[in-house]
Amino acid sequence: MRAKHFFFDYDGTLTSPQTGRVPESARQALLALVNAGHTVALCTGRLQCNAMQLVEQSGLPFSTVIGDGGNSATVDGRILWMDPLPLNPVRAFLRRMDAQGIPWSVITDNEMVRYARSDEFVRRSPDYYTPTVVRPDLDPDRLERVFKAFVPCTQGEEARIDFSGVPHVRYNPSTMFIEPIAKGAGIKRLMAHLGAPLEDVVVFGDGMNDLSMFLPEWTSIALGNGRAALKERASYITSSVDEDGVLRACQEFGWV
């Protein structure tokens, strides 16, 4: 079999939604893929530095990382690219939030810290993702780059917020993330850099931010615990990550 290029989402795909840990079967699958001559890459919405921390802490055999929802790529520890969000649409969005009196925060560098203008943001959006530093002088029009932005927003409040012009996704009940949702574009860009054919790509995912990488050009595997919209686009639906879904899919296709 010709070597494949595998791209794995992390949260909910390689990790159990119940424990937050990588099941042993998923770990075995990754190692077996590498031993069979395939390449395995992490493909996550997390900031580049956070994605690299995951690789180091998990001990998973990833030498290639697509981070920032497709806006960054790191190979053998070297960042090939890391693009911020388009600045003008983000500035316009933050100005709209100011006009509505809705607090916000931003990540402006490749480091796990977000900046907010008031304690109101901190009160409404707990720091489960990354610590928040309050800077009262924060001005949307003076921001030079933004990698992620955050808005406290329940599902019931979404209708009164104009998200036009900015990619957004929800990971928890209290906060909307403004971040790149372009995993598929990131994979295509990396494959072009490698000079490798797209039909050799295989992606594994479970969440709404994985929709962008479930494309007809390659094989897309949805975990059994994945969202219904993702399963509709999948080439194949395996069992949940807690039911050895990653390993079972790899065995079913004869990749390991």
PDB file of all heavy atoms in Angstrom, residues 3-36:
ATOM      1  N   ALA A   3       2.073   4.908   0.920  1.00  0.00           N
ATOM      2  CA  ALA A   3       2.032   5.603   2.199  1.00  0.00           C
ATOM      3  C   ALA A   3       0.971   6.703   2.168  1.00  0.00           C
ATOM      4  O   ALA A   3       0.822   7.418   1.177  1.00  0.00           O
ATOM      5  CB  ALA A   3       3.397   6.194   2.520  1.00  0.00           C
ATOM      6  N   LYS A   4       0.236   6.834   3.276  1.00  0.00           N
ATOM      7  CA  LYS A   4      -0.799   7.850   3.426  1.00  0.00           C
ATOM      8  C   LYS A   4      -0.315   8.948   4.363  1.00  0.00           C
ATOM      9  O   LYS A   4       0.613   8.769   5.154  1.00  0.00           O
ATOM     10  CB  LYS A   4      -2.072   7.225   3.990  1.00  0.00           C
ATOM     11  CG  LYS A   4      -2.707   6.151   3.124  1.00  0.00           C
ATOM     12  CD  LYS A   4      -3.420   6.748   1.936  1.00  0.00           C
ATOM     13  CE  LYS A   4      -4.221   5.698   1.176  1.00  0.00           C
ATOM     14  NZ  LYS A   4      -4.943   6.280   0.016  1.00  0.00           N
ATOM     15  N   HIS A   5      -1.002  10.086   4.268  1.00  0.00           N
ATOM     16  CA  HIS A   5      -0.749  11.208   5.170  1.00  0.00           C
ATOM     17  C   HIS A   5      -1.988  11.395   6.034  1.00  0.00           C
ATOM     18  O   HIS A   5      -3.042  11.803   5.543  1.00  0.00           O
ATOM     19  CB  HIS A   5      -0.445  12.479   4.378  1.00  0.00           C
ATOM     20  CG  HIS A   5       0.789  12.395   3.540  1.00  0.00           C
ATOM     21  ND1 HIS A   5       2.024  12.829   3.977  1.00  0.00           N
ATOM     22  CD2 HIS A   5       0.977  11.908   2.279  1.00  0.00           C
ATOM     23  CE1 HIS A   5       2.921  12.624   3.039  1.00  0.00           C
ATOM     24  NE2 HIS A   5       2.314  12.067   1.999  1.00  0.00           N
ATOM     25  N   PHE A   6      -1.858  11.100   7.320  1.00  0.00           N
ATOM     26  CA  PHE A   6      -2.989  11.136   8.251  1.00  0.00           C
ATOM     27  C   PHE A   6      -2.971  12.425   9.059  1.00  0.00           C
ATOM     28  O   PHE A   6      -1.927  12.841   9.572  1.00  0.00           O
ATOM     29  CB  PHE A   6      -2.926   9.944   9.203  1.00  0.00           C
ATOM     30  CG  PHE A   6      -3.230   8.619   8.556  1.00  0.00           C
ATOM     31  CD1 PHE A   6      -2.251   7.920   7.872  1.00  0.00           C
ATOM     32  CD2 PHE A   6      -4.503   8.085   8.628  1.00  0.00           C
ATOM     33  CE1 PHE A   6      -2.530   6.703   7.264  1.00  0.00           C
ATOM     34  CE2 PHE A   6      -4.802   6.866   8.021  1.00  0.00           C
ATOM     35  CZ  PHE A   6      -3.818   6.172   7.336  1.00  0.00           C
ATOM     36  N   PHE A   7      -4.148  13.032   9.201  1.00  0.00           N
ATOM     37  CA  PHE A   7      -4.314  14.254   9.984  1.00  0.00           C
ATOM     38  C   PHE A   7      -5.403  14.010  11.030  1.00  0.00           C
ATOM     39  O   PHE A   7      -6.541  13.686  10.676  1.00  0.00           O
ATOM     40  CB  PHE A   7      -4.676  15.433   9.087  1.00  0.00           C
ATOM     41  CG  PHE A   7      -3.603  15.800   8.108  1.00  0.00           C
ATOM     42  CD1 PHE A   7      -3.496  15.143   6.894  1.00  0.00           C
ATOM     43  CD2 PHE A   7      -2.679  16.801   8.417  1.00  0.00           C
ATOM     44  CE1 PHE A   7      -2.501  15.476   5.986  1.00  0.00           C
ATOM     45  CE2 PHE A   7      -1.675  17.135   7.521  1.00  0.00           C
ATOM     46  CZ  PHE A   7      -1.582  16.471   6.305  1.00  0.00           C
ATOM     47  N   PHE A   8      -5.039  14.185  12.292  1.00  0.00           N
ATOM     48  CA  PHE A   8      -5.948  13.894  13.391  1.00  0.00           C
ATOM     49  C   PHE A   8      -6.293  15.147  14.185  1.00  0.00           C
ATOM     50  O   PHE A   8      -5.390  15.861  14.657  1.00  0.00           O
ATOM     51  CB  PHE A   8      -5.310  12.888  14.365  1.00  0.00           C
ATOM     52  CG  PHE A   8      -5.128  11.507  13.806  1.00  0.00           C
ATOM     53  CD1 PHE A   8      -3.957  11.174  13.128  1.00  0.00           C
ATOM     54  CD2 PHE A   8      -6.104  10.550  13.956  1.00  0.00           C
ATOM     55  CE1 PHE A   8      -3.776   9.897  12.604  1.00  0.00           C
ATOM     56  CE2 PHE A   8      -5.936   9.266  13.435  1.00  0.00           C
ATOM     57  CZ  PHE A   8      -4.769   8.948  12.762  1.00  0.00           C
ATOM     58  N   ASP A   9      -7.582  15.414  14.327  1.00  0.00           N
ATOM     59  CA  ASP A   9      -8.022  16.363  15.344  1.00  0.00           C
ATOM     60  C   ASP A   9      -7.638  15.781  16.703  1.00  0.00           C
ATOM     61  O   ASP A   9      -7.431  14.570  16.840  1.00  0.00           O
ATOM     62  CB  ASP A   9      -9.540  16.554  15.232  1.00  0.00           C
ATOM     63  CG  ASP A   9     -10.110  17.367  16.368  1.00  0.00           C
ATOM     64  OD1 ASP A   9      -9.655  18.506  16.573  1.00  0.00           O
ATOM     65  OD2 ASP A   9     -11.004  16.858  17.069  1.00  0.00           O
ATOM     66  N   TYR A  10      -7.571  16.640  17.710  1.00  0.00           N
ATOM     67  CA  TYR A  10      -7.151  16.172  19.034  1.00  0.00           C
ATOM     68  C   TYR A  10      -8.336  15.977  19.986  1.00  0.00           C
ATOM     69  O   TYR A  10      -8.692  14.852  20.332  1.00  0.00           O
ATOM     70  CB  TYR A  10      -6.142  17.149  19.647  1.00  0.00           C
ATOM     71  CG  TYR A  10      -5.511  16.642  20.927  1.00  0.00           C
ATOM     72  CD1 TYR A  10      -4.521  15.666  20.893  1.00  0.00           C
ATOM     73  CD2 TYR A  10      -5.893  17.139  22.168  1.00  0.00           C
ATOM     74  CE1 TYR A  10      -3.936  15.190  22.056  1.00  0.00           C
ATOM     75  CE2 TYR A  10      -5.314  16.676  23.343  1.00  0.00           C
ATOM     76  CZ  TYR A  10      -4.335  15.708  23.272  1.00  0.00           C
ATOM     77  OH  TYR A  10      -3.764  15.240  24.435  1.00  0.00           O
ATOM     78  N   ASP A  11      -8.976  17.062  20.383  1.00  0.00           N
ATOM     79  CA  ASP A  11     -10.028  17.002  21.396  1.00  0.00           C
ATOM     80  C   ASP A  11     -11.258  16.273  20.867  1.00  0.00           C
ATOM     81  O   ASP A  11     -11.903  16.701  19.915  1.00  0.00           O
ATOM     82  CB  ASP A  11     -10.414  18.418  21.833  1.00  0.00           C
ATOM     83  CG  ASP A  11      -9.236  19.163  22.444  1.00  0.00           C
ATOM     84  OD1 ASP A  11      -8.841  18.813  23.564  1.00  0.00           O
ATOM     85  OD2 ASP A  11      -8.702  20.072  21.785  1.00  0.00           O
ATOM     86  N   GLY A  12     -11.587  15.154  21.487  1.00  0.00           N
ATOM     87  CA  GLY A  12     -12.755  14.388  21.100  1.00  0.00           C
ATOM     88  C   GLY A  12     -12.507  13.386  19.993  1.00  0.00           C
ATOM     89  O   GLY A  12     -13.355  12.536  19.721  1.00  0.00           O
ATOM     90  N   THR A  13     -11.351  13.492  19.340  1.00  0.00           N
ATOM     91  CA  THR A  13     -10.986  12.539  18.294  1.00  0.00           C
ATOM     92  C   THR A  13      -9.912  11.579  18.797  1.00  0.00           C
ATOM     93  O   THR A  13     -10.069  10.361  18.714  1.00  0.00           O
ATOM     94  CB  THR A  13     -10.482  13.276  17.038  1.00  0.00           C
ATOM     95  OG1 THR A  13     -11.541  14.083  16.516  1.00  0.00           O
ATOM     96  CG2 THR A  13     -10.027  12.299  15.961  1.00  0.00           C
ATOM     97  N   LEU A  14      -8.837  12.148  19.311  1.00  0.00           N
ATOM     98  CA  LEU A  14      -7.798  11.322  19.944  1.00  0.00           C
ATOM     99  C   LEU A  14      -7.993  11.234  21.453  1.00  0.00           C
ATOM    100  O   LEU A  14      -7.450  10.330  22.087  1.00  0.00           O
ATOM    101  CB  LEU A  14      -6.410  11.891  19.638  1.00  0.00           C
ATOM    102  CG  LEU A  14      -5.937  11.753  18.196  1.00  0.00           C
ATOM    103  CD1 LEU A  14      -4.588  12.433  18.020  1.00  0.00           C
ATOM    104  CD2 LEU A  14      -5.843  10.286  17.780  1.00  0.00           C
ATOM    105  N   THR A  15      -8.740  12.165  22.019  1.00  0.00           N
ATOM    106  CA  THR A  15      -8.975  12.138  23.470  1.00  0.00           C
ATOM    107  C   THR A  15     -10.419  11.762  23.766  1.00  0.00           C
ATOM    108  O   THR A  15     -11.335  12.095  23.006  1.00  0.00           O
ATOM    109  CB  THR A  15      -8.690  13.502  24.117  1.00  0.00           C
ATOM    110  OG1 THR A  15      -9.611  14.479  23.614  1.00  0.00           O
ATOM    111  CG2 THR A  15      -7.272  13.946  23.835  1.00  0.00           C
ATOM    112  N   SER A  16     -10.605  11.095  24.874  1.00  0.00           N
ATOM    113  CA  SER A  16     -11.938  10.702  25.309  1.00  0.00           C
ATOM    114  C   SER A  16     -12.725  11.915  25.786  1.00  0.00           C
ATOM    115  O   SER A  16     -12.233  12.688  26.610  1.00  0.00           O
ATOM    116  CB  SER A  16     -11.826   9.684  26.452  1.00  0.00           C
ATOM    117  OG  SER A  16     -13.053   9.553  27.136  1.00  0.00           O
ATOM    118  N   PRO A  17     -13.964  12.103  25.312  1.00  0.00           N
ATOM    119  CA  PRO A  17     -14.793  13.190  25.842  1.00  0.00           C
ATOM    120  C   PRO A  17     -15.095  13.025  27.325  1.00  0.00           C
ATOM    121  O   PRO A  17     -15.414  13.993  28.013  1.00  0.00           O
ATOM    122  CB  PRO A  17     -16.079  13.077  25.011  1.00  0.00           C
ATOM    123  CG  PRO A  17     -15.682  12.348  23.772  1.00  0.00           C
ATOM    124  CD  PRO A  17     -14.606  11.399  24.215  1.00  0.00           C
ATOM    125  N   GLN A  18     -14.956  11.802  27.816  1.00  0.00           N
ATOM    126  CA  GLN A  18     -15.272  11.512  29.206  1.00  0.00           C
ATOM    127  C   GLN A  18     -14.097  11.797  30.136  1.00  0.00           C
ATOM    128  O   GLN A  18     -14.271  12.341  31.230  1.00  0.00           O
ATOM    129  CB  GLN A  18     -15.705  10.044  29.353  1.00  0.00           C
ATOM    130  CG  GLN A  18     -16.925   9.692  28.511  1.00  0.00           C
ATOM    131  CD  GLN A  18     -17.234   8.205  28.530  1.00  0.00           C
ATOM    132  OE1 GLN A  18     -16.550   7.420  29.175  1.00  0.00           O
ATOM    133  NE2 GLN A  18     -18.267   7.812  27.804  1.00  0.00           N
ATOM    134  N   THR A  19     -12.887  11.455  29.703  1.00  0.00           N
ATOM    135  CA  THR A  19     -11.718  11.577  30.582  1.00  0.00           C
ATOM    136  C   THR A  19     -10.739  12.659  30.133  1.00  0.00           C
ATOM    137  O   THR A  19      -9.895  13.085  30.917  1.00  0.00           O
ATOM    138  CB  THR A  19     -10.966  10.243  30.659  1.00  0.00           C
ATOM    139  OG1 THR A  19     -10.377   9.956  29.373  1.00  0.00           O
ATOM    140  CG2 THR A  19     -11.906   9.104  31.056  1.00  0.00           C
ATOM    141  N   GLY A  20     -10.803  13.087  28.861  1.00  0.00           N
ATOM    142  CA  GLY A  20      -9.844  14.038  28.329  1.00  0.00           C
ATOM    143  C   GLY A  20      -8.489  13.413  28.018  1.00  0.00           C
ATOM    144  O   GLY A  20      -7.553  14.121  27.647  1.00  0.00           O
ATOM    145  N   ARG A  21      -8.401  12.116  28.132  1.00  0.00           N
ATOM    146  CA  ARG A  21      -7.128  11.413  27.894  1.00  0.00           C
ATOM    147  C   ARG A  21      -7.152  10.635  26.587  1.00  0.00           C
ATOM    148  O   ARG A  21      -8.213  10.322  26.054  1.00  0.00           O
ATOM    149  CB  ARG A  21      -6.839  10.463  29.055  1.00  0.00           C
ATOM    150  CG  ARG A  21      -6.670  11.175  30.400  1.00  0.00           C
ATOM    151  CD  ARG A  21      -6.366  10.174  31.501  1.00  0.00           C
ATOM    152  NE  ARG A  21      -6.159  10.848  32.789  1.00  0.00           N
ATOM    153  CZ  ARG A  21      -5.902  10.217  33.931  1.00  0.00           C
ATOM    154  NH1 ARG A  21      -5.807   8.893  33.946  1.00  0.00           N
ATOM    155  NH2 ARG A  21      -5.738  10.907  35.040  1.00  0.00           N
ATOM    156  N   VAL A  22      -5.975  10.328  26.077  1.00  0.00           N
ATOM    157  CA  VAL A  22      -5.854   9.537  24.856  1.00  0.00           C
ATOM    158  C   VAL A  22      -5.953   8.059  25.225  1.00  0.00           C
ATOM    159  O   VAL A  22      -5.100   7.549  25.963  1.00  0.00           O
ATOM    160  CB  VAL A  22      -4.507   9.805  24.146  1.00  0.00           C
ATOM    161  CG1 VAL A  22      -4.400   8.963  22.882  1.00  0.00           C
ATOM    162  CG2 VAL A  22      -4.357  11.287  23.818  1.00  0.00           C
ATOM    163  N   PRO A  23      -6.978   7.354  24.747  1.00  0.00           N
ATOM    164  CA  PRO A  23      -7.073   5.918  25.041  1.00  0.00           C
ATOM    165  C   PRO A  23      -5.879   5.157  24.476  1.00  0.00           C
ATOM    166  O   PRO A  23      -5.287   5.564  23.471  1.00  0.00           O
ATOM    167  CB  PRO A  23      -8.374   5.499  24.343  1.00  0.00           C
ATOM    168  CG  PRO A  23      -9.144   6.761  24.151  1.00  0.00           C
ATOM    169  CD  PRO A  23      -8.117   7.831  23.960  1.00  0.00           C
ATOM    170  N   GLU A  24      -5.554   4.075  25.108  1.00  0.00           N
ATOM    171  CA  GLU A  24      -4.405   3.290  24.676  1.00  0.00           C
ATOM    172  C   GLU A  24      -4.571   2.795  23.242  1.00  0.00           C
ATOM    173  O   GLU A  24      -3.602   2.714  22.483  1.00  0.00           O
ATOM    174  CB  GLU A  24      -4.193   2.103  25.614  1.00  0.00           C
ATOM    175  CG  GLU A  24      -2.924   1.312  25.335  1.00  0.00           C
ATOM    176  CD  GLU A  24      -1.654   2.156  25.407  1.00  0.00           C
ATOM    177  OE1 GLU A  24      -1.604   3.111  26.196  1.00  0.00           O
ATOM    178  OE2 GLU A  24      -0.706   1.861  24.635  1.00  0.00           O
ATOM    179  N   SER A  25      -5.796   2.479  22.843  1.00  0.00           N
ATOM    180  CA  SER A  25      -6.017   1.983  21.483  1.00  0.00           C
ATOM    181  C   SER A  25      -5.680   3.054  20.444  1.00  0.00           C
ATOM    182  O   SER A  25      -5.143   2.742  19.369  1.00  0.00           O
ATOM    183  CB  SER A  25      -7.460   1.528  21.307  1.00  0.00           C
ATOM    184  OG  SER A  25      -8.360   2.617  21.479  1.00  0.00           O
ATOM    185  N   ALA A  26      -5.997   4.330  20.736  1.00  0.00           N
ATOM    186  CA  ALA A  26      -5.663   5.417  19.805  1.00  0.00           C
ATOM    187  C   ALA A  26      -4.155   5.597  19.726  1.00  0.00           C
ATOM    188  O   ALA A  26      -3.591   5.815  18.641  1.00  0.00           O
ATOM    189  CB  ALA A  26      -6.335   6.708  20.245  1.00  0.00           C
ATOM    190  N   ARG A  27      -3.496   5.503  20.864  1.00  0.00           N
ATOM    191  CA  ARG A  27      -2.033   5.615  20.885  1.00  0.00           C
ATOM    192  C   ARG A  27      -1.398   4.482  20.073  1.00  0.00           C
ATOM    193  O   ARG A  27      -0.458   4.703  19.295  1.00  0.00           O
ATOM    194  CB  ARG A  27      -1.550   5.588  22.336  1.00  0.00           C
ATOM    195  CG  ARG A  27      -0.108   6.003  22.542  1.00  0.00           C
ATOM    196  CD  ARG A  27       0.247   5.984  24.032  1.00  0.00           C
ATOM    197  NE  ARG A  27      -0.552   6.939  24.774  1.00  0.00           N
ATOM    198  CZ  ARG A  27      -0.244   8.220  24.922  1.00  0.00           C
ATOM    199  NH1 ARG A  27       0.865   8.688  24.357  1.00  0.00           N
ATOM    200  NH2 ARG A  27      -1.021   9.017  25.616  1.00  0.00           N
ATOM    201  N   GLN A  28      -1.927   3.287  20.229  1.00  0.00           N
ATOM    202  CA  GLN A  28      -1.416   2.136  19.484  1.00  0.00           C
ATOM    203  C   GLN A  28      -1.608   2.335  17.981  1.00  0.00           C
ATOM    204  O   GLN A  28      -0.734   1.982  17.178  1.00  0.00           O
ATOM    205  CB  GLN A  28      -2.126   0.859  19.939  1.00  0.00           C
ATOM    206  CG  GLN A  28      -1.770   0.403  21.344  1.00  0.00           C
ATOM    207  CD  GLN A  28      -2.594  -0.797  21.779  1.00  0.00           C
ATOM    208  OE1 GLN A  28      -3.453  -1.270  21.044  1.00  0.00           O
ATOM    209  NE2 GLN A  28      -2.338  -1.285  22.983  1.00  0.00           N
ATOM    210  N   ALA A  29      -2.754   2.898  17.608  1.00  0.00           N
ATOM    211  CA  ALA A  29      -3.039   3.109  16.191  1.00  0.00           C
ATOM    212  C   ALA A  29      -2.030   4.056  15.558  1.00  0.00           C
ATOM    213  O   ALA A  29      -1.532   3.810  14.451  1.00  0.00           O
ATOM    214  CB  ALA A  29      -4.455   3.656  16.028  1.00  0.00           C
ATOM    215  N   LEU A  30      -1.709   5.150  16.242  1.00  0.00           N
ATOM    216  CA  LEU A  30      -0.753   6.115  15.700  1.00  0.00           C
ATOM    217  C   LEU A  30       0.624   5.476  15.516  1.00  0.00           C
ATOM    218  O   LEU A  30       1.277   5.663  14.483  1.00  0.00           O
ATOM    219  CB  LEU A  30      -0.652   7.327  16.619  1.00  0.00           C
ATOM    220  CG  LEU A  30      -1.901   8.201  16.731  1.00  0.00           C
ATOM    221  CD1 LEU A  30      -1.640   9.351  17.700  1.00  0.00           C
ATOM    222  CD2 LEU A  30      -2.328   8.731  15.384  1.00  0.00           C
ATOM    223  N   LEU A  31       1.054   4.750  16.515  1.00  0.00           N
ATOM    224  CA  LEU A  31       2.363   4.091  16.420  1.00  0.00           C
ATOM    225  C   LEU A  31       2.383   3.052  15.305  1.00  0.00           C
ATOM    226  O   LEU A  31       3.374   2.923  14.569  1.00  0.00           O
ATOM    227  CB  LEU A  31       2.711   3.445  17.761  1.00  0.00           C
ATOM    228  CG  LEU A  31       2.988   4.420  18.914  1.00  0.00           C
ATOM    229  CD1 LEU A  31       3.152   3.661  20.229  1.00  0.00           C
ATOM    230  CD2 LEU A  31       4.223   5.264  18.635  1.00  0.00           C
ATOM    231  N   ALA A  32       1.266   2.331  15.149  1.00  0.00           N
ATOM    232  CA  ALA A  32       1.196   1.316  14.098  1.00  0.00           C
ATOM    233  C   ALA A  32       1.223   1.964  12.713  1.00  0.00           C
ATOM    234  O   ALA A  32       1.839   1.435  11.776  1.00  0.00           O
ATOM    235  CB  ALA A  32      -0.073   0.485  14.267  1.00  0.00           C
ATOM    236  N   LEU A  33       0.573   3.116  12.572  1.00  0.00           N
ATOM    237  CA  LEU A  33       0.605   3.824  11.294  1.00  0.00           C
ATOM    238  C   LEU A  33       2.023   4.242  10.938  1.00  0.00           C
ATOM    239  O   LEU A  33       2.466   4.093   9.788  1.00  0.00           O
ATOM    240  CB  LEU A  33      -0.306   5.053  11.355  1.00  0.00           C
ATOM    241  CG  LEU A  33      -1.811   4.792  11.348  1.00  0.00           C
ATOM    242  CD1 LEU A  33      -2.568   6.082  11.624  1.00  0.00           C
ATOM    243  CD2 LEU A  33      -2.270   4.181  10.029  1.00  0.00           C
ATOM    244  N   VAL A  34       2.733   4.799  11.912  1.00  0.00           N
ATOM    245  CA  VAL A  34       4.122   5.211  11.682  1.00  0.00           C
ATOM    246  C   VAL A  34       4.981   4.009  11.320  1.00  0.00           C
ATOM    247  O   VAL A  34       5.788   4.055  10.369  1.00  0.00           O
ATOM    248  CB  VAL A  34       4.680   5.931  12.925  1.00  0.00           C
ATOM    249  CG1 VAL A  34       6.185   6.194  12.762  1.00  0.00           C
ATOM    250  CG2 VAL A  34       3.941   7.240  13.166  1.00  0.00           C
ATOM    251  N   ASN A  35       4.810   2.909  12.036  1.00  0.00           N
ATOM    252  CA  ASN A  35       5.604   1.704  11.766  1.00  0.00           C
ATOM    253  C   ASN A  35       5.291   1.113  10.391  1.00  0.00           C
ATOM    254  O   ASN A  35       6.134   0.434   9.799  1.00  0.00           O
ATOM    255  CB  ASN A  35       5.352   0.657  12.852  1.00  0.00           C
ATOM    256  CG  ASN A  35       5.962   1.048  14.193  1.00  0.00           C
ATOM    257  OD1 ASN A  35       6.920   1.830  14.233  1.00  0.00           O
ATOM    258  ND2 ASN A  35       5.416   0.536  15.273  1.00  0.00           N
ATOM    259  N   ALA A  36       4.080   1.388   9.888  1.00  0.00           N
ATOM    260  CA  ALA A  36       3.693   0.896   8.563  1.00  0.00           C
ATOM    261  C   ALA A  36       4.173   1.817   7.448  1.00  0.00           C
ATOM    262  O   ALA A  36       3.914   1.544   6.264  1.00  0.00           O
ATOM    263  CB  ALA A  36       2.175   0.738   8.498  1.00  0.00           C
TER     264      ALA A  36
END
